Amino acid sequence: MINTENLFELVYILIDKKKATARDLSEHFGVSTRTIYRWIDSLCLAGIPIFSTKGFGGGIEIDGNYSLDKTVLTEDEKVSLAAAANAVSALSGDDASRAAAGKIRSLTKEKTDWLEVDFGSWNPLGAYIRTVFDVAKGAILKKQVLCFDYYSSHGEVGRRFVQPWKIVFRGQAWYLYGWCNQKEEARYFKLSRIQNIRNTRRTADIFEDSLEAKKSKSKDVEREYSERLKKEYRLVTLTVRIPKKELWRIMDDYKIEESQASAEEPDGLTTVTFKIPDEVWLVTYLLSFGSSLEVVAPKSVKHALEEEIKRMYQKVFQ
């Protein structure tokens, strides 16, 4: 049975490349040239104008005036596709993305603005992140090396040369993912911590899909980027007692696993449990709640909080 997705991909390839040989197509799909010609016959029977020419410069091509019939997609699919195009247009902000979104919106008369993506922020930092985003995007598309100063979560500050692969949105922040020349491994860089970014215009030579040659230098390169993100932080299960009116601050960043109010506690207090990265900023995050938050467990976090409060007291009163 013929895979419909393969047929669609074949049509897209021909529309994009204008012409391709049966051998090139067979290598792309991992099938025989005989299978490719069988697919071509099926597409021709479906009314798609594909033909082949022999001899030097020949190959399989599609009529230059052909475009995918609008009826290929259901109405719901057109609306979803248009909404996605609007979102990409908002993120990219370039003329090509806006033009493409407009063409896709024309496929349907239904409402396509049900999804809105606003790259902006509630504070002025948003405009700066947009600048970093644009520079990184340009380097990714042109396969060029980026240079910037980076402030890590471990308190390190240094100049980095990065061969960028993609921009990732994770949690509530944007990250640049690519090969760090200094660390000789794949790394994530939070856009808000990047300063003085510039495109060096030097051609990149290490790509995400060709890291086999670098495996001997770093075990991290064997991970898929999604797996790397999952392992980026070591999580600790935290139980705290906090006023209900302050609970939204935790819920904005973390998933509450358990919440309960005790009859023994004053009105308005609740005990919640959630997972949080066990990083250097954990204690300062908890201190930002002031006296309204009490750490119940684990004891290690409670002890670290007490020690930091003692150091603060000494600096203020001694």
Side-chain angles (χ1 to χ4, degrees):
M1 185 175 180
I2 297 177
N3 188 321
T4 305
E5 291 183 1
N6 287 339
L7 295 182
F8 275 116
E9 186 176 354
L10 176 56
V11 174
Y12 284 126
I13 289 174
L14 294 177
I15 291 175
D16 181 52
K17 293 187 175 181
K18 309 304 181 186
K19 183 186 293 185
T21 66
R23 178 175 295 179
D24 289 340
L25 292 172
S26 68
E27 291 178 355
H28 175 83
F29 288 101
V31 298
S32 66
T33 55
R34 184 175 180 179
T35 298
I36 293 297
Y37 282 119
R38 188 167 70 250
W39 290 358
I40 297 298
D41 290 340
S42 298
L43 290 171
C44 289
L45 288 174
I48 298 177
I50 297 177
F51 57 93
S52 61
T53 55
K54 297 181 179 180
F56 181 77
I60 300 170
E61 52 189 309
I62 195 167
D63 189 296
N65 296 321
Y66 175 79
S67 61
L68 282 178
D69 194 323
K70 296 179 182 180
T71 60
V72 169
L73 299 172
T74 67
E75 197 62 30
D76 287 344
E77 290 171 338
K78 294 174 189 176
V79 172
S80 296
L81 188 60
N86 289 338
V88 172
S89 175
L91 290 176
S92 300
D94 54 42
D95 293 338
S97 297
R98 284 190 287 268
K103 291 178 181 178
I104 295 176
R105 283 196 298 270
S106 68
L107 295 176
T108 178
K109 295 181 179 179
E110 298 296 326
K111 182 178 178 65
T112 62
D113 60 351
W114 60 271
L115 175 66
E116 181 177 344
V117 177
D118 187 351
F119 192 86
S121 172
W122 295 112
N123 61 61
L125 180 63
Y128 172 73
I129 292 178
R130 182 56 189 258
T131 299
V132 176
F133 184 100
D134 290 339
V135 175
K137 170 194 167 187
I140 291 170
L141 296 179
K142 294 178 181 179
K143 296 181 173 61
Q144 295 174 332
V145 179
L146 285 169
C147 173
F148 53 80
D149 297 321
Y150 190 67
Y151 295 72
S152 76
S153 59
H154 301 291
E156 299 174 351
V157 182
R159 178 65 54 87
R160 303 292 184 93
F161 288 88
V162 175
Q163 306 193 40
W165 297 333
K166 62 184 68 174
I167 297 173
V168 180
F169 187 82
R170 179 79 175 185
Q172 297 184 27
W174 290 96
Y175 296 84
L176 170 68
Y177 180 57
W179 182 265
C180 178
N181 289 354
Q182 280 68 29
K183 300 295 183 179
E184 292 192 313
E185 65 179 5
R187 284 290 183 99
Y188 287 89
F189 303 92
K190 199 169 185 177
L191 297 196
S192 59
R193 299 198 204 124
I194 291 176
Q195 294 286 327
N196 306 317
I197 188 171
R198 65 181 178 87
N199 187 336
T200 66
R201 309 298 177 186
R202 298 206 304 266
T203 302
D205 57 7
I206 299 178
F207 304 100
E208 186 180 10
D209 56 359
S210 60
L211 286 180
E212 293 298 321
K214 291 290 182 180
K215 279 188 177 180
S216 60
K217 292 187 177 182
S218 172
K219 293 182 180 180
D220 286 335
V221 300
E222 300 180 29
R223 305 175 185 173
E224 293 290 337
Y225 89 92
S226 58
E227 290 301 313
R228 177 74 186 279
L229 273 176
K230 291 178 183 177
K231 300 175 182 179
E232 191 76 18
Y233 296 118
R234 186 171 68 88
L235 297 177
V236 61
T237 301
L238 194 65
T239 300
V240 301
R241 189 174 292 112
I242 187 173
K244 289 182 179 179
K245 64 180 182 180
E246 296 278 356
L247 188 57
W248 63 270
R249 289 186 55 193
I250 296 176
M251 296 180 69
D252 274 356
D253 297 316
Y254 305 103
K255 181 180 181 299
I256 300 297
E257 297 182 348
E258 185 179 353
S259 177
Q260 60 182 13
S262 172
E264 300 176 357
E265 296 174 343
D267 291 342
L269 282 181
T270 184
T271 300
V272 297
T273 299
F274 61 99
K275 285 185 171 61
I276 185 171
D278 189 7
E279 292 291 313
V280 294
W281 47 262
L282 172 58
V283 170
T284 55
Y285 170 76
L286 296 175
L287 284 173
S288 70
F289 288 86
S291 61
S292 64
L293 179 142
E294 176 190 350
V295 175
V296 178
K299 291 183 178 180
S300 59
V301 174
K302 188 169 185 174
H303 177 71
L305 192 61
E306 291 172 349
E307 291 300 312
E308 182 64 20
I309 291 174
K310 289 178 183 178
R311 287 191 288 269
M312 292 172 62
Y313 180 86
Q314 291 173 355
K315 284 189 174 183
V316 174
F317 297 103
Q318 294 183 9

